[in-house]
Amino acid sequence: MGGDRTFFAGPLRHNTWHQHGAPVFLAGLYDTFALRLGDGAWQRTAAALIPAGMLHELDVGGWPIAVFYLEPLAGGAGRLAPLMRNTWESQGALLGTTDVHALMRALWEDGGSAAWAGEALEDALGGRRAPCDGTRITRAVAALHAGTREDAPEGLVSIAAVAAAAGLSPSRFQHLFTREMGVPFRRYRAWLRMRRAIEEVARGASFTTAAHAAGFADQSHFTHDFRRTFGAPPSASLLRVRA
């Protein structure tokens, strides 16, 4: 995990309907995987790029898969799209193949890859951050990322406070936020809270400690939101996660 990216590589089985607060790139490491988008039919693909907020379901069959999220302020889907090849569009998502399978497999197979994953992923993205466009929304979100870790968990920062930082009314802020970021503010705030909890677990915290650190009421609240975000309980993905 980095400030603007989250990467997972490992075996998954069936992740029921869920949606993320950031765009996600998926790549089957040794086989294709089954994907269902919205009200569509199941499809098989080697790789996919799914926009933030899109409801989807995965069936990986227990095989390892790479899952790479990139925050909107870091370029989001625009920087992830070049990882895709031979694409076709399905309900707003891109399906196809990718030429970074070797890198993703190496990240999964090398037990020490956490030490070099950040640099390798940045190279795969082209090595250059997308510039922030400077709008009031992106400035407010950048402040949310930069300032709330010391003050309070991201999930506890109010809409009114972030809207004020953007110089907008809460209603106008929420409208512009959804238009520019692709998801409503509350969903993105929940996504940041979930990332904070996962980071704590990766550092060795228990689920209960991580939940409290990220602003969840208790472990049950964290587990419920994890299922909604990833389509499976945290015990299915986080027990052996390493930072």
Side-chain angles (χ1 to χ4, degrees), residues 51-64:
M54 175 172 284
L55 194 65
H56 61 287
E57 187 173 9
L58 288 175
D59 190 347
V60 189
W63 288 93

Side-chain angles (χ1 to χ4, degrees), residues 9 29-30 102-113 116 242:
L29 299 188
Y30 304 102
L103 169 62
M104 300 302 177
R105 289 184 192 124
L107 289 169
W108 159 241
E109 293 172 354
D110 181 357
S113 64
W116 55 271
R242 64 183 189 271

Side-chain angles (χ1 to χ4, degrees), residues 139-154 157 196:
R139 289 200 302 271
V141 175
L144 176 66
H145 276 270
T148 56
R149 290 190 60 83
E150 296 181 359
D151 302 331
E154 291 88 335
V157 178
R196 173 73 179 275

Side-chain angles (χ1 to χ4, degrees), residues 2-240:
D4 56 19
R5 67 179 67 88
T6 304
F7 179 80
F8 167 86
L12 294 178
R13 292 192 177 276
H14 182 202
N15 290 50
T16 59
W17 293 114
H18 59 286
Q19 52 192 164
H20 309 299
V24 60
F25 167 79
L26 305 170
L29 299 188
Y30 304 102
D31 197 2
T32 60
F33 57 92
L35 173 66
R36 185 157 60 151
L37 302 162
D39 59 358
W42 284 100
Q43 305 177 74
R44 294 204 68 87
T45 185
L49 174 55
I50 302 174
M54 175 172 284
L55 194 65
H56 61 287
E57 187 173 9
L58 288 175
D59 190 347
V60 189
W63 288 93
I65 188 172
V67 184
F68 185 19
Y69 306 92
L70 191 65
E71 298 300 306
L73 291 188
R79 288 189 77 198
L80 290 170
L83 301 181
M84 298 289 298
R85 297 288 183 271
N86 307 310
T87 60
W88 71 92
E89 189 273 337
S90 179
Q91 302 202 36
L94 284 180
L95 280 62
T97 63
T98 181
D99 58 8
V100 294
H101 272 123
L103 169 62
M104 300 302 177
R105 289 184 192 124
L107 289 169
W108 159 241
E109 293 172 354
D110 181 357
S113 64
W116 55 271
E119 183 178 353
L121 291 170
E122 191 64 23
D123 286 345
L125 292 171
R128 184 163 55 92
R129 284 181 58 93
C132 177
D133 61 16
T135 68
R136 285 186 287 183
I137 297 298
T138 54
R139 289 200 302 271
V141 175
L144 176 66
H145 276 270
T148 56
R149 290 190 60 83
E150 296 181 359
D151 302 331
E154 291 88 335
L156 300 182
V157 178
S158 69
I159 291 175
V162 183
L168 297 166
S169 70
S171 60
R172 181 62 176 163
F173 172 79
Q174 291 183 77
H175 172 76
L176 292 177
F177 188 97
T178 300
R179 188 180 72 184
E180 292 191 21
M181 302 292 286
V183 291
F185 175 78
R186 285 186 176 88
R187 182 168 298 283
Y188 188 69
R189 182 178 61 182
W191 169 250
L192 293 184
R193 179 167 59 182
M194 185 59 65
R195 289 186 77 236
R196 173 73 179 275
I198 293 170
E199 187 174 5
E200 294 291 332
V201 172
R203 290 174 175 173
S206 68
F207 288 169
T208 298
T209 300
H212 289 156
F216 292 97
D218 50 35
Q219 183 179 332
S220 178
H221 183 199
F222 165 62
T223 298
H224 176 271
D225 277 17
F226 192 96
R227 280 183 176 273
R228 189 177 72 164
T229 304
F230 299 106
S235 59
S237 301
L238 298 183
L239 284 182
R240 293 178 296 277

